[in-house]
Amino acid sequence: MKKIVLVGGGFAGINFLKKLKNNKNFHITLVDKNNYNFFPPLIYQVGSSVLEPAAISYPFRRFIRYKSNVSFRQGELLEVKPNENKIILSNGELDFDILIFATGTQSNYFGMQNLEKYSVPMKTLNDALLLRNTLLLRMEEASQEVNLEKQKELLSIVIVGGGPAGVEIAGVTREIFNTLQPLDYKELKSKVQIHLVEGSPNLLGSMSEKSHKEAYKALNKLGVNIILNQHVKDCDENFIYLGSGDKIATKTIIWTAGVTSRVFVGISKDVYSRGRRMQVDEFNKVISYENIYALGDTSLMISDPNFPDGHPQLAQVAIQQGINLARNLKRELRGQNKRKFSYVDKGSMAVIGKNKAVADLMNNKVFFKGFFAWLIWSCIHIISLVSIGNRLNTFYRWLTIYFSKGSSLGIAYEIGDKKDK
């Protein structure tokens, strides 16, 4: 029985486990600093109080309950010792025959320390709860502020990054405040302002031209102030500064503009490429190592002829790589040839608001917008959740919000530090 240590229980890790569950040829130890899996594409809905954390999270131990060859170890990876086939964790160490990195990404602030200090990222459940608390606190502070200029500052929200995450959180928060403010905060004389700042000429830059235009049109109609071709230069407690010299008064900055992978002690620096992604071959094996693999966002594969600059850091890439590696390990045991990874692009989608979404399918040959695209997006995201309980919970919440105007920022949750270090 081969001992596999899998670091990270995201899309790649979970799908790898599914394909090797109850296989007597492998024993897999899943390592993660959290004791739960969560669904990153819907994390902004927790931050905006549309969903509760339980709707998009699921305990690892429950997930592996009926997988006889899988165990779980909660801990943080500190060091890899490749020559000893060993990893050092924050609470012990583990031996391995095969080591797999599926650790995803973390926020990249491009060296801007003030942005890291004052902004709220959207990478973890802790981040989402911090955003929820921040939005609630700002509204309560603004409702007690008699100075109109200070009230406007408290009610100004700046979202940095016009990709799917930025567009989605801009749309959902704008819709919530359009409904919420007249109902729950009648005393406010200033209106919540939402600014979306993007450094390139288009929103949803990786999607089609039709999606660019539709996202801009829909967000503009909702009342989002869209600022294109502007990079963020710096910020402080009261302002965010743009490259043009302009500044926006704000107390709330949401950062969705960049990600980077993690660097691990013990892995050669020569392995890491742009975005600190590990360079891998066509089988996801890390270069210079015979028994170490990297999957998903933390890997960079340039051998796929359709993606010579590497694959996009998307959930579908991670899912497909996790499945392909599991199948290849089984083929290797049977003496069969392994199959090179080839990414099948199933399309991209982004939701903008109620009945508003865009979808590029079949390599951008098919485009949908509006209600039908929103319905496709909703169905795919519900199906993609880990458990039936998650799906029912999310479906019920969405259904309730769809047919009512009961959106609320809810309650503030007690959480830990701002960032998960």
Side-chain angles (χ1 to χ4, degrees):
M1 180 179 286
K2 286 186 176 291
K3 292 187 292 185
I4 298 175
V5 173
L6 170 64
V7 184
F11 286 115
I14 288 295
N15 282 276
F16 175 84
L17 287 176
K18 287 179 179 178
K19 290 299 174 183
L20 288 184
K21 66 179 181 181
N22 300 324
N23 189 312
K24 295 180 180 180
N25 296 305
F26 304 97
H27 181 271
I28 306 164
T29 302
L30 170 63
V31 176
D32 200 291
K33 65 180 180 181
N34 299 312
N35 69 346
Y36 57 86
N37 163 273
F38 69 96
F39 191 67
L42 293 180
I43 196 169
Y44 73 94
Q45 294 206 1
V46 175
S48 55
S49 299
V50 173
L51 295 174
E52 295 301 315
I56 67 166
S57 57
Y58 195 75
F60 283 127
R61 290 194 179 277
R62 190 179 302 172
F63 176 76
I64 69 172
R65 185 174 289 173
Y66 302 109
K67 297 173 177 60
S68 59
N69 64 330
V70 182
S71 57
F72 172 67
R73 178 76 169 265
Q74 184 174 4
E76 187 171 0
L77 176 60
L78 300 180
E79 183 180 355
V80 182
K81 295 189 173 182
N83 295 333
E84 300 178 37
N85 285 345
K86 180 189 298 183
I87 62 170
I88 308 301
L89 302 176
S90 55
N91 52 10
E93 56 185 49
L94 287 172
D95 297 323
F96 63 83
D97 296 314
I98 297 171
L99 175 63
I100 301 171
F101 289 101
T103 45
T105 57
Q106 57 190 2
S107 294
N108 184 6
Y109 298 92
F110 307 102
M112 295 182 284
Q113 295 180 356
N114 283 337
L115 265 299
E116 183 173 2
K117 179 180 179 180
Y118 291 113
S119 69
V120 181
M122 279 286 97
K123 294 299 294 181
T124 69
L125 276 181
N126 202 52
D127 296 334
L129 294 176
L130 174 64
L131 176 59
R132 177 184 288 202
N133 288 0
T134 300
L135 294 176
L136 180 59
L137 178 62
R138 296 291 182 262
M139 295 299 288
E140 295 300 331
E141 288 179 339
S143 69
Q144 301 168 41
E145 181 59 64
V146 294
N147 184 304
L148 287 182
E149 287 303 312
K150 290 184 177 180
Q151 190 181 81
K152 287 180 180 179
E153 189 177 292
L154 288 166
L155 296 178
S156 174
I157 300 169
V158 178
I159 302 164
V160 184
V167 166
E168 291 178 347
I169 197 167
V172 72
T173 51
R174 180 72 275 173
E175 278 194 332
I176 286 173
F177 284 120
N178 285 348
T179 301
L180 179 67
Q181 190 168 340
L183 293 174
D184 290 357
Y185 294 91
K186 296 184 268 301
E187 66 272 27
L188 291 177
K189 293 180 174 60
S190 300
K191 186 179 180 182
V192 174
Q193 297 293 318
I194 296 179
H195 310 270
L196 178 58
V197 182
E198 166 57 34
S200 73
N202 298 300
L203 300 176
L204 302 177
S206 62
M207 297 182 69
S208 68
E209 183 68 24
K210 291 180 179 179
S211 290
H212 301 166
K213 292 179 178 179
E214 181 62 25
Y216 187 96
K217 177 182 175 183
L219 286 178
N220 189 58
K221 189 175 180 180
L222 282 172
V224 176
N225 177 33
I226 303 168
I227 304 171
L228 300 176
N229 288 311
Q230 287 285 348
H231 291 281
V232 172
K233 186 172 65 175
D234 202 355
C235 77
D236 56 32
E237 289 184 274
N238 302 306
F239 293 95
I240 187 166
Y241 302 94
L242 306 181
S244 63
D246 293 335
K247 62 182 181 180
I248 303 171
T250 182
K251 288 283 190 180
T252 307
I253 303 170
I254 304 172
W255 184 262
T256 70
V259 295
T260 184
S261 298
R262 294 171 172 83
V263 172
F264 297 99
V265 176
I267 297 295
S268 171
K269 293 180 180 178
D270 296 335
V271 164
Y272 296 98
S273 184
R274 64 179 183 275
R276 304 198 298 194
R277 297 165 75 178
M278 295 184 189
Q279 299 176 70
V280 298
D281 65 13
E282 59 270 35
F283 306 111
N284 281 97
K285 184 183 290 185
V286 177
I287 61 167
S288 304
Y289 296 98
E290 288 302 314
N291 61 340
I292 300 179
Y293 296 82
L295 300 172
D297 292 351
T298 197
S299 70
L300 180 67
M301 181 189 296
I302 60 173
S303 56
D304 190 334
N306 295 320
F307 298 88
D309 296 322
H311 300 104
Q313 290 172 293
L314 299 174
Q316 272 300 320
V317 175
I319 291 169
Q320 292 178 33
Q321 287 186 346
I323 292 171
N324 189 67
L325 177 57
R327 289 172 174 169
N328 275 338
L329 292 180
K330 289 192 287 186
R331 290 188 186 100
E332 198 170 30
L333 276 182
R334 295 194 296 261
Q336 299 173 332
N337 292 329
K338 297 185 292 185
R339 292 183 182 174
K340 298 178 182 180
F341 178 74
S342 179
Y343 175 51
V344 179
D345 187 353
K346 296 184 178 181
S348 301
M349 295 177 290
V351 69
I352 304 163
K354 185 177 180 179
N355 296 336
K356 301 179 187 72
V358 289
D360 293 326
L361 306 177
M362 298 178 65
N363 292 321
N364 292 343
K365 294 177 182 177
V366 178
F367 170 75
F368 295 111
K369 67 177 183 178
F371 175 77
F372 190 60
W374 175 84
L375 189 62
I376 295 173
W377 179 93
S378 300
C379 291
I380 288 177
H381 280 68
I382 286 178
I383 291 170
S384 300
L385 290 166
V386 171
S387 73
I388 293 176
N390 291 145
R391 295 167 197 161
L392 291 175
N393 193 332
T394 300
F395 178 73
Y396 173 75
R397 179 62 177 160
W398 283 355
L399 199 66
T400 302
I401 291 176
Y402 188 87
F403 289 107
S404 72
K405 291 187 177 181
S407 297
S408 170
L409 289 179
I411 59 175
Y413 285 82
E414 184 177 348
I415 56 175
D417 295 336
K418 174 184 172 182
K419 309 270 195 320
D420 285 340
K421 295 295 185 183

